[in-house]
Amino acid sequence: MSSSFFLKKESKINKKRKQTLEVKKAGKLSKKFSNEAKVSSSKDDEEIASDDEYPSGNEAIGNNNNLTFSSDEAEEETPQDKRLRLAKQYLEEIEKQELEKAKDRQLHDQVSQRLQTEYLDSVGKLRKNIAASIYGYDVENVVKLKHKKQHLTLCSLALAPDGQILFSGGKTQYVLKWNLKNNRVVGMFNVEPYNEDINKGVLKRRSHVIAMCISSDMRYLALADNGKTIQIWCPKELKHLKTFHGHRDVVTCLVFRKDTHELYSGSNDRSVKIWSLDEMAYVESLFGHQAGVTGIDALTRERAISSGGPDCSLRIWKITEESQLVYNGHQDRIESVKFLNDENFISSGMDGSLCLWSALKKKSLHTEFLSHGQQANGDANWLTAIACVVNTDLIASGSCDGFIRLWQASDHYRKLKQILKIPVEGFVNSLTFNQEGTRLFAALGQEHRLGRWLRLAEGKNQIVIIDLLRNQTRKDGNK
């Protein structure tokens, strides 16, 4: 009897021990399960469940057989995986921070470069070397523009500052406005009704546009219609605004001072006149040339440079100082003059010479004789047009020899070096570059813009647009 009592007591003790062990085991499982849920939620960004949603204690005893775990939930993140994950997150944060810093630095550098460029441009000391990077032109995509309203010789071009609009004039009374995005005419106007001589009945002459220029903000278009007057038009609305009187002979050349509404004009009456388009009024006249003025140019400063044609002289007019500087060097009539920058300029003439000058010296730094060759009778081919990209070393010249030639002002603007020849047909009466120097526009014709003493039957009366090929890694002609 005593033995059975001890057996029953022992069995009750064992039973209580088993229940206690099962409770502890269930509690450990519930804690483990909740920890795994937290780890998986941190990886997948899911909602974290509370421990109350999972059975624990005595509840886990009855449902112990119903607990099931997936393989993903059962896997724990090892210390090595955690270190790897944290390292990746740290690297991503560093990359984002460095990318933001790089953008800020790049923006800062661009702003600094632009401010420096604008400052150097304002003081006339900006210099860019782009001629050495030009190695050719796009032969297959040369654009040729023709229109029935300008079936005669093209004489002048005026390019908008943004390079998207081009005005053309010739030996007809019409001025055409071209949209260079689609190479189509988007407007035109007739200068004939505003020909003062015809209206007064003094002289019946045909109007043709031999000179044009456009202001930097594209508010005004000035043109000379082969008479003594200057017509002012609105280039956007194509409306006539004003007609200036004052010259006593044919107006031959026009230019706006950069970023202003100050207009300079040259005439066969041997004078240079200044006009203010803000007041639409005459300002003053500059005298000194002994023959008709054939070319004129100006930059930002209150200075103008002009060529005196048959008097073979060039003059820089210091307007505020009321003085002038005289330069001599050509052997025959001077046709054109252009500023390269505030210190250097180029000129061309009937003697076939292309000259490079410094404002500080009376003689040319370099003269390229017979730059466009000779005619059959031994005379030099007349340079009829020149152009340049301001504040760079790139120059273009045209004649009647069938080529437009590109030149580089090398050796710190002391020498001229030919870099490219572009074949064309006829007289090159006007040349102009876009601001970047990537496109060249030429007005061609069978005759010279100022007369009809020579005619090239093979010439074409048209506008030619040439895309220049540039290599940014090309320096001094070498890759």
Side-chain angles (χ1 to χ4, degrees), residues 146-375:
K146 298 180 181 180
H147 197 275
K148 60 182 180 181
K149 293 293 185 181
Q150 292 183 340
H151 59 283
L152 299 179
T153 296
L154 273 297
C155 299
S156 58
L157 298 175
L159 181 66
D162 59 1
Q164 299 299 324
I165 298 296
L166 179 71
F167 290 89
S168 62
K171 291 187 176 182
T172 65
Q173 66 268 34
Y174 294 99
V175 173
L176 302 185
K177 180 180 180 180
W178 299 85
N179 185 342
L180 298 179
K181 292 182 179 179
N182 53 20
N183 296 324
R184 294 184 179 274
V185 174
V186 294
M188 69 176 69
F189 58 87
N190 187 355
V191 303
E192 190 79 31
Y194 305 95
N195 185 330
E196 298 292 334
D197 294 336
I198 288 181
N199 291 337
K200 292 179 180 179
V202 177
L203 175 65
K204 292 185 177 181
R205 61 172 176 83
R206 170 179 287 181
S207 294
H208 66 259
V209 183
I210 60 175
M212 279 197 304
C213 64
I214 192 168
S215 61
S216 300
D217 57 359
M218 206 175 169
R219 284 188 59 185
Y220 301 108
L221 175 70
L223 60 90
D225 67 341
N226 197 32
K228 303 175 184 179
T229 59
I230 302 170
Q231 295 187 22
I232 307 299
W233 291 74
C234 174
K236 295 180 181 179
E237 300 179 0
L238 303 183
K239 293 183 178 180
H240 181 265
L241 302 177
K242 182 74 173 179
T243 298
F244 286 142
H245 303 267
H247 282 291
R248 295 175 296 171
D249 207 334
V250 174
V251 179
T252 56
C253 48
L254 298 166
V255 67
F256 276 102
R257 185 159 71 90
K258 188 177 179 182
D259 299 327
T260 70
H261 296 152
E262 200 170 272
L263 176 68
Y264 301 135
S265 63
S267 169
N268 284 338
D269 63 3
R270 300 178 293 177
S271 70
V272 172
K273 293 187 182 295
I274 305 174
W275 314 82
S276 174
L277 270 66
D278 290 325
E279 290 81 16
M280 286 294 175
Y282 161 79
V283 178
E284 64 175 312
S285 297
L286 307 175
F287 296 99
H289 281 295
Q290 303 301 312
V293 180
T294 55
I296 195 167
D297 197 21
L299 293 180
T300 307
R301 302 169 67 183
E302 288 190 65
R303 291 188 178 186
I305 187 170
S306 60
S307 56
D311 71 0
C312 302
S313 71
L314 300 166
R315 295 172 187 262
I316 292 181
W317 306 90
K318 297 182 178 181
I319 298 170
T320 54
E321 294 89 342
E322 298 183 353
S323 62
Q324 57 182 284
L325 302 175
V326 184
Y327 304 84
N328 294 286
H330 284 274
Q331 302 300 318
D332 205 338
R333 173 190 173 97
I334 303 176
E335 177 72 16
S336 304
V337 62
K338 294 289 181 181
F339 269 121
L340 274 173
N341 49 62
D342 282 333
E343 297 178 359
N344 301 95
F345 56 93
I346 54 174
S347 64
S348 64
M350 198 171 181
D351 58 356
S353 299
L354 181 64
C355 298
L356 177 62
W357 303 79
S358 170
L360 303 177
K361 293 188 177 182
K362 295 293 185 178
K363 293 184 178 180
S364 63
L365 300 177
H366 179 84
T367 300
E368 191 71 24
F369 298 100
L370 302 177
S371 56
H372 279 255
Q374 293 177 297
Q375 300 178 12

Side-chain angles (χ1 to χ4, degrees), residues 354 370-374 381 383 385 387 394-399 401-407 418-424 428 431 433 440:
L354 181 64
L370 302 177
S371 56
H372 279 255
Q374 293 177 297
N381 283 317
L383 267 68
L394 181 58
I395 301 165
S397 63
S399 181
D401 64 332
F403 292 98
I404 295 174
R405 300 173 190 261
L406 299 187
W407 306 83
Q418 182 175 313
I419 58 176
L420 190 63
K421 290 170 58 177
I422 303 172
V424 293
V428 181
L431 289 171
F433 284 100
L440 177 61

